[in-house]
PDB file of all heavy atoms in Angstrom:
ATOM      1  N   SER N 117      78.204  70.580 128.527  1.00 87.00           N
ATOM      2  CA  SER N 117      76.988  71.202 129.045  1.00 87.00           C
ATOM      3  C   SER N 117      77.209  71.567 130.498  1.00 87.00           C
ATOM      4  O   SER N 117      77.699  70.751 131.291  1.00 87.00           O
ATOM      5  CB  SER N 117      75.794  70.252 128.925  1.00 87.00           C
ATOM      6  OG  SER N 117      74.666  70.781 129.590  1.00 87.00           O
ATOM      7  N   THR N 118      76.850  72.799 130.841  1.00 84.00           N
ATOM      8  CA  THR N 118      77.015  73.239 132.227  1.00 84.00           C
ATOM      9  C   THR N 118      76.107  72.462 133.169  1.00 84.00           C
ATOM     10  O   THR N 118      76.383  72.357 134.359  1.00 84.00           O
ATOM     11  CB  THR N 118      76.692  74.740 132.340  1.00 84.00           C
ATOM     12  OG1 THR N 118      75.376  74.978 131.807  1.00 84.00           O
ATOM     13  CG2 THR N 118      77.683  75.570 131.535  1.00 84.00           C
ATOM     14  N   LEU N 119      75.026  71.910 132.639  1.00 86.00           N
ATOM     15  CA  LEU N 119      74.089  71.159 133.468  1.00 86.00           C
ATOM     16  C   LEU N 119      74.714  69.878 134.011  1.00 86.00           C
ATOM     17  O   LEU N 119      74.374  69.408 135.099  1.00 86.00           O
ATOM     18  CB  LEU N 119      72.832  70.822 132.660  1.00 86.00           C
ATOM     19  CG  LEU N 119      71.618  70.298 133.428  1.00 86.00           C
ATOM     20  CD1 LEU N 119      71.124  71.351 134.399  1.00 86.00           C
ATOM     21  CD2 LEU N 119      70.511  69.902 132.468  1.00 86.00           C
ATOM     22  N   LEU N 120      75.645  69.317 133.238  1.00 85.00           N
ATOM     23  CA  LEU N 120      76.281  68.064 133.651  1.00 85.00           C
ATOM     24  C   LEU N 120      77.576  68.288 134.427  1.00 85.00           C
ATOM     25  O   LEU N 120      78.153  67.337 134.935  1.00 85.00           O
ATOM     26  CB  LEU N 120      76.589  67.203 132.412  1.00 85.00           C
ATOM     27  CG  LEU N 120      75.406  66.854 131.507  1.00 85.00           C
ATOM     28  CD1 LEU N 120      75.865  65.983 130.359  1.00 85.00           C
ATOM     29  CD2 LEU N 120      74.295  66.169 132.296  1.00 85.00           C
ATOM     30  N   ALA N 121      78.023  69.543 134.484  1.00 80.00           N
ATOM     31  CA  ALA N 121      79.293  69.840 135.148  1.00 80.00           C
ATOM     32  C   ALA N 121      79.083  69.998 136.651  1.00 80.00           C
ATOM     33  O   ALA N 121      77.973  70.224 137.129  1.00 80.00           O
ATOM     34  CB  ALA N 121      79.899  71.106 134.566  1.00 80.00           C
ATOM     35  N   GLY N 122      80.204  69.932 137.371  1.00 77.00           N
ATOM     36  CA  GLY N 122      80.151  70.079 138.820  1.00 77.00           C
ATOM     37  C   GLY N 122      80.196  71.539 139.235  1.00 77.00           C
ATOM     38  O   GLY N 122      80.175  72.457 138.416  1.00 77.00           O
ATOM     39  N   ASP N 123      80.292  71.758 140.546  1.00 80.00           N
ATOM     40  CA  ASP N 123      80.314  73.117 141.086  1.00 80.00           C
ATOM     41  C   ASP N 123      81.588  73.862 140.707  1.00 80.00           C
ATOM     42  O   ASP N 123      81.606  75.090 140.690  1.00 80.00           O
ATOM     43  CB  ASP N 123      80.175  73.067 142.619  1.00 80.00           C
ATOM     44  CG  ASP N 123      78.835  72.492 143.046  1.00 80.00           C
ATOM     45  OD1 ASP N 123      77.882  72.584 142.242  1.00 80.00           O
ATOM     46  OD2 ASP N 123      78.751  71.938 144.153  1.00 80.00           O
ATOM     47  N   ASP N 124      82.666  73.119 140.402  1.00 85.00           N
ATOM     48  CA  ASP N 124      83.956  73.743 140.072  1.00 85.00           C
ATOM     49  C   ASP N 124      84.048  74.125 138.600  1.00 85.00           C
ATOM     50  O   ASP N 124      85.069  74.612 138.139  1.00 85.00           O
ATOM     51  CB  ASP N 124      85.095  72.776 140.424  1.00 85.00           C
ATOM     52  CG  ASP N 124      86.446  73.460 140.415  1.00 85.00           C
ATOM     53  OD1 ASP N 124      86.508  74.630 140.830  1.00 85.00           O
ATOM     54  OD2 ASP N 124      87.428  72.840 139.972  1.00 85.00           O
ATOM     55  N   PHE N 125      82.982  73.913 137.865  1.00 90.00           N
ATOM     56  CA  PHE N 125      83.008  74.154 136.419  1.00 90.00           C
ATOM     57  C   PHE N 125      83.027  75.648 136.115  1.00 90.00           C
ATOM     58  O   PHE N 125      82.391  76.449 136.792  1.00 90.00           O
ATOM     59  CB  PHE N 125      81.784  73.516 135.769  1.00 90.00           C
ATOM     60  CG  PHE N 125      81.743  73.650 134.274  1.00 90.00           C
ATOM     61  CD1 PHE N 125      82.432  72.756 133.473  1.00 90.00           C
ATOM     62  CD2 PHE N 125      81.028  74.668 133.674  1.00 90.00           C
ATOM     63  CE1 PHE N 125      82.387  72.869 132.093  1.00 90.00           C
ATOM     64  CE2 PHE N 125      80.973  74.790 132.298  1.00 90.00           C
ATOM     65  CZ  PHE N 125      81.662  73.890 131.512  1.00 90.00           C
ATOM     66  N   GLU N 126      83.788  76.013 135.061  1.00 90.00           N
ATOM     67  CA  GLU N 126      83.864  77.413 134.647  1.00 90.00           C
ATOM     68  C   GLU N 126      83.936  77.484 133.128  1.00 90.00           C
ATOM     69  O   GLU N 126      84.538  76.634 132.469  1.00 90.00           O
ATOM     70  CB  GLU N 126      85.094  78.095 135.246  1.00 90.00           C
ATOM     71  CG  GLU N 126      85.191  79.576 134.908  1.00 90.00           C
ATOM     72  CD  GLU N 126      86.422  80.224 135.510  1.00 90.00           C
ATOM     73  OE1 GLU N 126      87.539  79.715 135.255  1.00 90.00           O
ATOM     74  OE2 GLU N 126      86.277  81.233 136.233  1.00 90.00           O
ATOM     75  N   GLU N 127      83.323  78.503 132.587  1.00 91.00           N
ATOM     76  CA  GLU N 127      83.375  78.767 131.149  1.00 91.00           C
ATOM     77  C   GLU N 127      83.953  80.168 130.956  1.00 91.00           C
ATOM     78  O   GLU N 127      83.393  81.148 131.431  1.00 91.00           O
ATOM     79  CB  GLU N 127      81.980  78.675 130.531  1.00 91.00           C
ATOM     80  CG  GLU N 127      81.980  78.798 129.017  1.00 91.00           C
ATOM     81  CD  GLU N 127      80.579  78.629 128.434  1.00 91.00           C
ATOM     82  OE1 GLU N 127      79.602  78.874 129.184  1.00 91.00           O
ATOM     83  OE2 GLU N 127      80.451  78.271 127.262  1.00 91.00           O
ATOM     84  N   GLY N 176      85.905  74.001 131.641  1.00 92.00           N
ATOM     85  CA  GLY N 176      86.500  72.956 132.471  1.00 92.00           C
ATOM     86  C   GLY N 176      86.534  73.419 133.912  1.00 92.00           C
ATOM     87  O   GLY N 176      85.834  74.361 134.298  1.00 92.00           O
ATOM     88  N   SER N 177      87.348  72.773 134.713  1.00 92.00           N
ATOM     89  CA  SER N 177      87.489  73.218 136.101  1.00 92.00           C
ATOM     90  C   SER N 177      88.186  74.577 136.122  1.00 92.00           C
ATOM     91  O   SER N 177      88.922  74.931 135.196  1.00 92.00           O
ATOM     92  CB  SER N 177      88.307  72.204 136.907  1.00 92.00           C
ATOM     93  OG  SER N 177      89.651  72.178 136.453  1.00 92.00           O
ATOM     94  N   LYS N 178      87.947  75.343 137.164  1.00 93.00           N
ATOM     95  CA  LYS N 178      88.491  76.702 137.234  1.00 93.00           C
ATOM     96  C   LYS N 178      90.012  76.705 137.122  1.00 93.00           C
ATOM     97  O   LYS N 178      90.596  77.543 136.422  1.00 93.00           O
ATOM     98  CB  LYS N 178      88.053  77.360 138.546  1.00 93.00           C
ATOM     99  CG  LYS N 178      86.557  77.621 138.614  1.00 93.00           C
ATOM    100  CD  LYS N 178      86.165  78.271 139.936  1.00 93.00           C
ATOM    101  CE  LYS N 178      84.662  78.526 139.994  1.00 93.00           C
ATOM    102  NZ  LYS N 178      84.243  79.131 141.276  1.00 93.00           N
ATOM    103  N   GLU N 179      90.655  75.780 137.800  1.00 94.00           N
ATOM    104  CA  GLU N 179      92.122  75.729 137.765  1.00 94.00           C
ATOM    105  C   GLU N 179      92.626  75.408 136.352  1.00 94.00           C
ATOM    106  O   GLU N 179      93.552  76.048 135.847  1.00 94.00           O
ATOM    107  CB  GLU N 179      92.633  74.679 138.754  1.00 94.00           C
ATOM    108  CG  GLU N 179      94.154  74.556 138.764  1.00 94.00           C
ATOM    109  CD  GLU N 179      94.632  73.458 139.690  1.00 94.00           C
ATOM    110  OE1 GLU N 179      93.787  72.864 140.395  1.00 94.00           O
ATOM    111  OE2 GLU N 179      95.849  73.184 139.713  1.00 94.00           O
TER     112      GLU N 179
END
Side-chain angles (χ1 to χ4, degrees):
S117 172
T118 55
L119 192 63
L120 303 181
D123 296 335
D124 193 37
F125 183 83
E126 183 180 55
E127 186 177 24
S177 67
K178 293 180 180 179
E179 179 183 355

